[in-house]
Amino acid sequence: MASVVRGTSLRAGGACVRCRKGKTKCVYENGRAPCRNCAKGMHECYLPSESMAHHHGQSPARPPRPRESLPGERSVSATSDRQPVASGTVLPRNIQTNSEKLGPELVTECERVISKTIPSCVAFHKPSFLTKLKNGTLEASIVNGLLTCAARSSPVLIRRYGGQGGASSAAEHFAVKTINIIMQNLDNPSLADIQALCLLIIHEWGNRNAVRAYIYLGQASRMAQMYRIIAVHQSREDPDQFIKDESFRRTLWLIYVLDCFLTSSPGRQPAVSHLDIKNVPLPCLDMSYNFGTPVYVRTLAGGPPSTLPDPSTPMTEVGEFGHIVMATQAWRNVIEMLTTVTSATFSEEDCASLEAGIEAVRSSLPPHFMDKPGQINLHITMGSGFTYAMLHCLLHCATIMVNRRRLLHLVTTDGFNHETWRMVPHVHLQTVDRVFAAAHSVVSLLLALEANADKDAVLNFPLVMLFSCFTACSTVAWFSLKGLTPGDVNETAESIVRDGMRFLQDGANIWILAVPWYRHLSVMNKVLRNGDRTLQRSQADATVPSIKEDTASQPDNPDSMDYERPESANAQEQADSRGSEPPRKSGFTTINGSSVGVSPPATASPPPGQSKADSPAPSSSGQAADSAPASGNDMTAAELCVAFERQLLELDDLAAFMGGGV
């Protein structure tokens, strides 16, 4: 909304809606909105006479919009008041006019996100962002996008805007502003709008709004395509043209990375096609990017970029963000195998090829980015600790998933015998060793970041790093409960799972998406801690006892992993206590929230064409429970292993990674 000129700051009827409601003095700088109070809190500033045209009559003083409504609704003033623009006229950008009046706390939070938080610290140009932020010229969309990210790890913003909803509600406060501004600028999207939308995708993904995040992803891809078309016709004589071009390329690669993550389930088509990135160079070194030194980098396929002026022109090495892009591609190739292979089409050659691709990415890393003991501490000192950890978490997670699929095929095949596994050395013992080494590396990376975390902020691991931790710990727990590990490593397995539990519990308080991961691992940890590893080794084909009817009272959180087997209670009393709640199925809840029963490994694969049940809605507060669900009769290790194997075959872990599946 355009700034409204007001004659005097103290005239009758001149106070804005927010100051009127708070009964505070409304002072306008230079007679224009926003007033000091609204500028300090980054609120919309408007007069009572303007309220009907502001967000369809909804003022900031009213309750926030329900989550069921679309956050991208335009305000009436943004659509009905728009005048036709003559051809060739450049629409005025929605500059953050009040960013120069941001309080020191909000400016500090934006700076922290730009400098230290993935993906902003690798995808955005730090020098220009910080300069514009301090000068008050950074666009409103990206300012609110940065604050959306900052609100998840800032105690100040959580207290001010979170309320009972915690970090997720605080982030939602700024996310609503972000999407409204982006929608107003759709006719002329700027690069800042696209970057802000990428941050919004991560926000919605972390809140388990899987469909919304996926739709925003497609919108970001289309906005990037239109921006590239417009940018081609602009003047190329700008001395900062390399920085602008590299900024766009990094934004496109960020969309590609998010596309790899959010299409990790059958039926989701990618938003970024092969042609979109075919001739796009990978991100260059951060040093060249920050100083605006023009360089040429190879493409993801390994060829020269289309912008290379001459074949003899030397090309520089791939930058830090470029290695993350390459690791993401290797991770996505593994996901492609997991979502397409069946028990009948499983191929050991495919697994070997995927592992070779992962090792190729590792071997291409520069010496200072190699995975060596103590290397993470050096990167933390240099300020690139999260970049280093993100890169290797992706590679370790891919390694674990490939080798886990190998063993899953082995143990779900007829004729598998535990005595043969324990007594006869074979190649699969090396598979177990590789998984344990990768799992230990993932947890070690997170421990190092935790030990050196900023004491003034909440430690906030990116979603991919938390999922890598969940994948590592749940796989190690499964190996131990299944009896696939040597007896002398059980203590190591329990230590890995214990550390992973702590990270996921903290992460669940920040990201609603991590709540099912934490609850799932808490059940596995409980069985592992109880030492119940008695397996029916002499009866490989014996039917696993069914789980008792779940008729005990249920936790309030619908995402709780209902693995325990409570004692039966009066069914009528339980039905009365649940009220209008639909009857619960017997069995236990899968990773992504749906309920299944236990079946033997021979029937673990889902019938053709059968779709999984939708996961329930997450808790409104997004807070994780402090401990695992308790009951008087827990599952045995054998039952838990069969359940976990079924979930892996049904790709429930990938559905949970994206927010419950679609």
Side-chain angles (χ1 to χ4, degrees), residues 10 62 64 76 116 140 145 147 172 184 262 279 315 360 368-369 392 407 435 438 445 450 463 470 519 551 563 604 662:
L10 299 178
R62 299 183 184 181
V76 174
K116 301 180 180 180
L147 290 174
E172 180 70 10
Q184 293 174 15
L262 291 175
N279 296 318
M315 293 189 294
H368 62 280
F369 258 85
H392 288 287
L407 294 180
V435 170
L445 291 171
E450 180 188 44
L463 289 169
F470 167 72
R519 293 189 177 276
T551 55
Y563 276 104
V662 180

Side-chain angles (χ1 to χ4, degrees), residues 440-507:
H440 181 269
S441 296
V442 169
V443 174
S444 297
L445 291 171
L446 270 60
L447 285 171
L449 292 174
E450 180 188 44
N452 295 273
D454 188 358
K455 306 304 180 183
D456 297 331
V458 178
L459 182 59
N460 180 17
F461 291 116
L463 289 169
V464 176
M465 293 173 62
L466 286 176
F467 182 74
S468 299
C469 178
F470 167 72
T471 301
C473 296
S474 60
T475 303
V476 165
W478 174 52
F479 282 2
S480 298
L481 295 172
K482 191 73 174 178
L484 303 181
T485 58
D488 57 350
V489 301
N490 284 332
E491 184 176 352
T492 302
E494 293 177 4
S495 176
I496 291 175
V497 175
R498 184 172 59 252
D499 289 332
M501 277 279 298
R502 183 163 48 82
F503 291 132
L504 288 175
Q505 182 177 5
D506 294 340

Side-chain angles (χ1 to χ4, degrees), residues 424-437:
V424 181
H426 49 73
V427 68
H428 290 294
L429 290 178
Q430 300 177 0
T431 302
V432 174
D433 291 339
R434 285 195 293 269
V435 170
F436 262 81

Side-chain angles (χ1 to χ4, degrees), residues 340-624:
T340 55
V341 73
T342 63
S343 299
T345 60
F346 176 82
S347 171
E348 176 62 30
E349 290 74 15
D350 292 341
C351 293
S353 176
L354 291 171
E355 271 202 301
I358 297 171
E359 292 303 320
V361 176
R362 284 197 177 103
S363 61
S364 67
L365 297 175
H368 62 280
F369 258 85
M370 292 289 186
D371 187 13
K372 296 183 291 186
Q375 195 81 343
I376 178 66
N377 295 320
L378 297 177
H379 279 276
I380 292 174
T381 303
M382 298 300 296
S384 56
F386 273 88
T387 304
Y388 178 88
M390 178 77 168
L391 168 63
H392 288 287
C393 278
L394 281 168
L395 295 176
H396 291 314
C397 183
T399 299
I400 292 172
M401 289 191 293
V402 168
N403 290 284
R404 183 178 65 184
R405 188 62 183 84
R406 279 180 168 139
L407 294 180
L408 182 63
H409 180 75
L410 177 68
V411 301
T412 55
T413 302
D414 293 338
F416 174 75
N417 186 280
H418 282 87
E419 293 300 328
T420 303
W421 171 273
R422 292 171 61 87
M423 303 302 297
V424 181
H426 49 73
V427 68
H428 290 294
L429 290 178
Q430 300 177 0
T431 302
V432 174
D433 291 339
R434 285 195 293 269
V435 170
F436 262 81
H440 181 269
S441 296
V442 169
V443 174
S444 297
L445 291 171
L446 270 60
L447 285 171
L449 292 174
E450 180 188 44
N452 295 273
D454 188 358
K455 306 304 180 183
D456 297 331
V458 178
L459 182 59
N460 180 17
F461 291 116
L463 289 169
V464 176
M465 293 173 62
L466 286 176
F467 182 74
S468 299
C469 178
F470 167 72
T471 301
C473 296
S474 60
T475 303
V476 165
W478 174 52
F479 282 2
S480 298
L481 295 172
K482 191 73 174 178
L484 303 181
T485 58
D488 57 350
V489 301
N490 284 332
E491 184 176 352
T492 302
E494 293 177 4
S495 176
I496 291 175
V497 175
R498 184 172 59 252
D499 289 332
M501 277 279 298
R502 183 163 48 82
F503 291 132
L504 288 175
Q505 182 177 5
D506 294 340
N509 291 326
I510 300 174
W511 303 101
I512 298 177
L513 183 66
V515 172
W517 310 347
Y518 164 69
R519 293 189 177 276
H520 184 97
L521 187 61
S522 67
V523 176
M524 302 188 78
N525 178 62
K526 188 173 185 179
V527 178
L528 184 65
R529 188 177 63 248
N530 291 340
D532 184 6
R533 302 182 181 87
T534 303
L535 302 175
Q536 302 294 336
R537 296 190 180 96
S538 60
Q539 301 177 1
D541 298 330
T543 303
V544 179
S546 60
I547 297 180
K548 297 178 182 179
E549 182 72 13
D550 179 15
T551 55
S553 60
Q554 301 298 326
D556 293 335
N557 193 317
D559 286 331
S560 60
M561 306 310 298
D562 192 19
Y563 276 104
E564 283 72 29
R565 300 187 300 166
E567 298 293 344
S568 60
N570 187 285
Q572 183 63 35
E573 294 178 1
Q574 296 299 326
D576 295 340
S577 65
R578 285 196 297 265
S580 60
E581 179 182 348
R584 297 178 61 92
K585 300 178 182 179
S586 61
F588 52 89
T589 308
T590 59
I591 300 174
N592 67 335
S594 57
S595 179
V596 298
V598 174
S599 61
T603 60
S605 57
Q610 177 177 341
S611 60
K612 297 189 289 294
D614 293 338
S615 58
S619 170
S620 59
S621 63
Q623 302 298 320

Side-chain angles (χ1 to χ4, degrees), residues 90-152:
V90 179
L91 293 176
R93 298 302 307 159
N94 189 6
I95 301 297
Q96 180 66 26
T97 56
N98 62 344
S99 63
E100 60 183 355
K101 303 182 183 66
L102 287 179
E105 292 178 345
L106 296 181
V107 173
T108 301
E109 295 298 341
C110 290
E111 291 178 350
R112 179 173 59 83
V113 173
I114 296 171
S115 302
K116 301 180 180 180
T117 305
I118 295 286
S120 303
C121 64
V122 295
F124 303 159
H125 189 245
K126 297 179 188 178
S128 62
F129 264 62
L130 295 176
T131 301
K132 291 179 180 179
L133 180 64
K134 294 178 181 179
N135 294 340
T137 57
L138 195 59
E139 295 192 17
S141 57
I142 192 62
V143 169
N144 284 283
L146 294 172
L147 290 174
T148 301
C149 295
R152 291 191 180 272

